[in-house]
Amino acid sequence: MVKTLFLVLLTTALINNIVLSQFLGICPFLGVSKNMKTAAGMGGAVIFVITLASAVTNLLYTFVLEKFNLTYLNTIVFIMVIAFLVQFVELFLKKAVPTLHKSLGVYLPLITTNCAVLGTALTNVQSGNDFITSVVTGFGTAVGFCIAIVIMAGVREKTENNDFPASIKGTPAVLMTACLMSIAFYGFTVFA
């Protein structure tokens, strides 16, 4: 069981990285990855939200929606759970770390509509994952998001003052970097 959970964690973080292989969560990935501190803060917030959302949505689906034959409401219920968790994170960061709250700006509330969060919850349900597997899948997915956004922020910080041709400065350079990262992460499939 522990070996299986470790493989689930490794697979969701590296091999099936939510950003670099499934292309979910691209908006905050590209928008918040301008500096390492902000990217790490966003990664931490996403880890908290996806992990907790995976746990809560699994319990709600198993003990409420399935039990009362309301599974058709899963998307709406999951979005409400995610919105509540994001509000909680936002209030916490506003009180505890106001500089991080300010630097995340509009991207923090956008976690509510981040397709990576909802996609993970729905994938857990569709795969029929039990509670522990859902939580590990959520945590691994969020760690994969965090790894990707922190690497992207590091690359962007290092190349910020490089002399690029005008045609690839800014967004084109960021998208090419994301493409190269995706190819690099594809290399993990060799070990799968």
Side-chain angles (χ1 to χ4, degrees):
M1 179 70 171
V2 174
K3 182 179 178 182
T4 303
L5 292 175
F6 178 73
L7 289 174
V8 166
L9 181 68
L10 197 62
T11 301
T12 54
L14 299 176
I15 297 167
N16 293 324
N17 186 284
I18 194 89
V19 177
L20 300 173
S21 72
Q22 296 178 26
F23 307 111
L24 296 173
I26 296 291
C27 180
F29 173 70
L30 296 176
V32 182
S33 63
K34 292 178 183 168
N35 94 21
M36 289 284 282
K37 197 178 238 185
T38 307
M42 176 60 95
V46 168
I47 287 172
F48 177 79
V49 170
I50 290 182
T51 304
L52 210 54
S54 295
V56 172
T57 55
N58 180 279
L59 292 173
L60 279 172
Y61 187 82
T62 304
F63 296 111
V64 177
L65 298 178
E66 259 186 344
K67 190 172 186 174
F68 297 108
N69 200 24
L70 299 170
T71 56
Y72 60 91
L73 294 173
N74 65 356
T75 303
I76 294 168
V77 171
F78 292 179
I79 288 172
M80 290 188 325
V81 167
I82 293 164
F84 172 77
L85 291 172
V86 170
Q87 285 296 99
F88 176 75
V89 169
E90 187 169 15
L91 289 172
F92 173 77
L93 288 179
K94 195 173 192 176
K95 293 269 187 201
V97 194
T99 54
L100 178 59
H101 179 266
K102 187 176 179 180
S103 65
L104 289 174
V106 71
Y107 293 101
L108 186 58
L110 284 178
I111 294 175
T112 304
T113 59
N114 185 342
C115 52
V117 182
L118 181 60
T120 302
L122 290 173
T123 300
N124 279 329
V125 167
Q126 291 167 354
S127 300
N129 292 343
D130 61 8
F131 178 76
I132 300 293
T133 307
S134 291
V135 172
V136 171
T137 300
F139 180 72
T141 299
V143 167
F145 178 89
C146 187
I147 290 169
I149 197 169
V150 167
I151 290 172
M152 174 62 95
V155 170
R156 286 179 79 174
E157 279 186 357
K158 292 288 183 191
T159 60
E160 184 178 328
N161 296 321
N162 287 6
D163 190 25
F164 285 116
S167 60
I168 63 168
K169 273 190 177 183
T171 304
V174 172
L175 293 176
M176 285 191 297
T177 302
C179 177
L180 292 171
M181 286 175 60
S182 182
I183 291 169
F185 271 68
Y186 182 74
F188 288 119
T189 59
V190 172
F191 302 109

